[in-house]
Amino acid sequence: MDEEPERAKRWEGGYERTWEILKEDESGSLKATVEEILFQAKRKRVFESHGQVRLGMMRHLCVVIDTSRTMEDQDLKPNRLTSTLKVRKRGDRGDVGIITTKNKRAEKLTDLAGNPKKHIAALRNAKDSTCGGEPSLYNSLNLAMQTLKHMPAHSSKEVLIILSSLTTCDPANIYDLVKTLKALKIRVSVIGLSAEVRVCTVLTRETGGSYHVILDESHFRELLMFHVKPPPASASSECSLIRMGFPQHTIASLSDQDAKPSFSQAHLDSTSGGPGLSLGGYFCPQCHAKYTELPVECKICGLTLVSAPHLARSFHHLFPLEAFQESPLELHQGERFCVACQGELRDKSVFTCPWCCSVFCVECDLFIHDILHCCPSCIHSRP
Amino acid sequence: MKLNIEGLLVYFPYDYIYPEQYSYMLELKRTLDAKGHGVLEMPSGTGKTISLLSLIVAYQRAYPLEVTKLIYCSRTVPEIEKVVEELRKLMEYYSKEAGEKNNFLALALSSRKNLCVHPEVSSLRFGKEVDGKCHSLTASYIRAQRHSNPSLPSCRFYEEFDALGRQVPLPAGVYNLDDLKDFGRRKGWCPYYLARYSIVHANIIVYSYHYLLDPKIADLVSKELAKKSVVVFDEAHNIDNVCIDSMSVNITRRTLDRSQANVETLQSTILKIKETDAAKLKEEYRRLVEGLKEANVARETDIYMSNPVLPDEVLQEAVPGSIRTAEHFVGFMKRFLEYLKARLRIHHVVQESAPQFLKDISEKVCIDRKPLRFCAERLRSLLRTLEIADIADFSAITLISNFATLVSTYSKGFTIIIEPFEDRTPTIANPVLHFSCMDPSIAIKPVFERFQSVIITSGTLSPLDIYPRILDFHPVTTASFTMTLARTCLCPLVCNLRNPQHGAFWEGGEGPVIRNYGNLLLEMSAIVPDGIVAFFTSYIYMENIVASWYEQGILENVQRNKLIFIETPDAAETSMALEKYQEACENGRGAILLSVARGKVSEGIDFVHHFGRAVIMFGVPYVYTQSRILKARLEYLRDQFQIRENDFLTFDAMRHAAQCVGRAIRGKTDYGLMIFADKRYARADKRGKLPRWIQEHLTDGSLNLTIDETVQLSKHFLRQMAQPFKQEDQLGLSLLTLEQLQSEEMLQKIAQIAHQV
């Protein structure tokens, strides 16, 4: 279902004048430009390393999704809403809450929580909901502000608005609210789905966020990925150490007759079904409350419970892998095979790791930087 | 930065320069070198003003004997202020770089209303009231009377100025209107008279067109300006209309009634004076016999600029005997008024030339041409002699006397049209006598003749060759500059919606077009962020369309996307609508402004950035072709200048269309859609008359689009433009540092920017 609409309704593309970027080479062939375009698309995501900058690793992010009338526009297939929700699925360390806005009101879809599963479920439900009316920037920001206001000062408080509409229906002067947000150090970023709106420009500029407008779906995805990366922390935010618990997962073996199924603390207040009782789980090292999923904040003692991989996931943001050096294939001497995939190097550029001087193809370069976050060859050579 | 423009050292107060600015300065320098006139078109927002100022100031410094003064004419007070601010920046840069205090004096001049500091007078609301009140306090005979009777009110600012102000010149510096007022308050001098006095020795004067073009004002203010001046008319695309308006006279019944009253007052005053002070009238008589010799001498020695209302022949002769005595003159005016009244009692339209009119008047009431020519001068002299304080009251009779002089002086270039009623209300009798000037070159001729270089410049002057023809002068430079852009920030699109005829409203067969217009607006309102400005061809047309949209429910749908504001002929209402429009754009609600080409909004109000992301031009803004004045003018143009009617009409329509759509782009960081919703724009004759900087981006792919195509292209454009755009992106392409400017390659590119005609 997810992949299907991408290809299916191409005729709805209407007047996307893709031929405009094409240029014929000297022999009249288009091949070179097509390859160039594909190549550029692959390399687009540039790694701008922040260098030694303190990053706001503890993020509290409110995602505001516009579900107004304009979301039904078909310029992203099959319509803007489905496309948006599709793109939204991603995992990250940090607490996320989702707010939707339509009919001049704002509703909280999910509370701030670190667990991505719940959000994804909620989003899946939202996919079928209807869009209508006008969004209200004021109301949704206000709601987000109420949620974020009480977060500790060391964490980075952010609001990400995915705005499709070009108008907003506000009950009061939004510029007052912008001032309040600025005072509370809440960073507001906006991804516009249609065009640049003045009020968003001001909003993001004042609160220190970023403002982007998408060009097409892939650009949209890219912009969202940009927001995954933690922003540099502002100098004024205080630093503090955070107590964290690393509970071990204990599974009472089925053979153990004494094991009794018990409730997870997280499930106690959730109305959504799911298996209430389970045998094993994570036990808070401080108060031994049981949880089935991590990361979570202990309901009893307030300790942040994480597992080591969760922390590791954020680690690469602090020490990103350096970009590989690009050089034309002709200049490359030595083996004509990619170190990672063992495939032949056919593209016109190759990528060299500055540390171990191994050579990679484009695909592997992207895979290493996007997913692995470490050079496989370096790991071999540096025990 | 310091530039070297063909051997001239130019100080430019910014670190970066646009290539077209450099090119503009080159052309300007060549014009000044040749001591000729120039017509230069450069898009708005590319720093025309600062280029002009820095080059001319540099020229003045380098060749102080060649160019002594810069006269910068602009249209409105805010524009004047903007020029002065740029000038201030330039002067600061000079004193910083050169290290010395330069002795440049630059000042702005405006009416008494904007400059008066007298606590009572300045609180009056209308310009005329301020002028009248000021006159009643400061006229020479009032002040003479005060010597005998000190209890009369006076203006202490003027008195102070008169006593001390003329001895010491205004210290060097840059003065805008507020600075002048401050200075005046501090010294206790009248800023208006101070400014008027100081323009004689100022290096740079910034004021309104009218001070140079309107003969009535120019005679007072500008006639002593040095011959070796450079005159710049900025935003000059309407200069021919300004010229024509300043020379045309409209006489209604009301004017005649008021003149009648004026004449009565004159008569009674003359009687009174005769009893008390007969010598005064005798003295005047003697002066009139001697004629206007003094003025003639002054003009011959090049001290004064000639005044088109005061023709040369008049100066050489004495005032004819028939109107020399005051009573005779009043009787003469009475007869003339009676004649005009009789002429206005008609039921059909009359059109005649000036000679015909003169023949008729001499047959019917025995008024000769000669005394008529002296009318204006004679009346002025009489008003002076009678010591009438409140000149404003006599505006009606002054108008009549000006008319008399003009009609008897010019046998060509004017026409007289008497209409018994207005076209719109054929049942209500409202006779008007239009004495209409058809030749703009009459008013501007003295300017071209007197001053060494006259530069006509604007963002939209295309087609450039027509201005020299209708203004009757020979420019040495005629050039159009394009805008170098790092990204194409303007997107002109021509939409095909089956056009109506000539912009006028026809009852039948318009339905589908109106609906299409509505659909276009609706679609655009959904995809364009913040502000949209839509222009219609006339108020009536707009009213009709908006009414049909309302019936069809289009307005309701549009309002779901954006708020709608409408321009009306009422200025107060319009400025209110504008204010609310800007507020709606500012806080994200989005708004549409429906306005009229040739209206207040289309001229002089800028829609920068989010205030105007799209401009839609519905129809081609042809002037109202049924007007008799226009018809007469077209005929005249054809006969005298060999300009075909069609060419002129298209030219006029296109310059207004260009003005309208040009409102959206006010700089290189700005961006905006320009939608021409009429397929006639796609035709070569219309397209070719758009300014080159718009034409350049009007490719074949953006012509004859359907609504859907327009929407798709606009969406794409808006997304593209919303991508981050930094100054670095412009550097080297459309923004240059000094090093980049000096590179050989760039100089070659710059040479292509200017497009000589």
Side-chain angles (χ1 to χ4, degrees), chain B residues 487-505:
Chain B
R487 55 170 192 177
T488 33
C489 68
L490 64 160
C491 179
L493 301 170
V494 177
C495 239
N496 180 4
L497 306 161
R498 205 189 66 77
N499 60 296
Q501 288 294 314
H502 281 271
F505 185 78

Side-chain angles (χ1 to χ4, degrees), chain A residues 220-240:
Chain A
F220 187 16
R221 193 160 298 137
E222 211 169 280
L223 289 178
L224 272 175
M225 290 314 283
F226 171 80
H227 283 283
V228 171
K229 220 161 138 181
S234 55
S236 56
S237 75
E238 54 184 272
C239 2
S240 58

Side-chain angles (χ1 to χ4, degrees), chain B residues 173-194:
Chain B
V174 180
Y175 297 87
N176 65 14
L177 299 178
D178 284 337
D179 295 339
L180 282 170
K181 273 168 137 176
D182 282 348
F183 186 81
R185 278 205 197 93
R186 226 173 30 238
K187 290 261 181 184
W189 294 351
C190 171
Y192 174 75
Y193 282 99
L194 178 67

Side-chain angles (χ1 to χ4, degrees), chain B residues 29-86:
Chain B
K29 159 109 186 346
R30 287 172 193 159
T31 318
L32 295 186
D33 282 342
K35 291 194 172 50
H37 310 312
V39 180
L40 304 171
E41 176 188 63
M42 183 154 94
S44 42
T46 48
K48 211 165 29 211
T49 309
I50 192 65
S51 323
L52 267 167
L53 291 174
S54 18
L55 187 99
I56 297 178
V57 167
Y59 207 93
Q60 262 177 299
R61 283 173 64 100
Y63 312 101
L65 295 177
E66 301 290 317
V67 172
T68 52
K69 200 188 282 285
L70 163 64
I71 306 170
Y72 196 104
C73 301
S74 202
R75 281 187 311 188
T76 57
V77 173
E79 274 168 16
I80 290 173
E81 297 274 353
K82 251 193 285 183
V83 174
V84 176
E85 287 320 303
E86 291 276 9

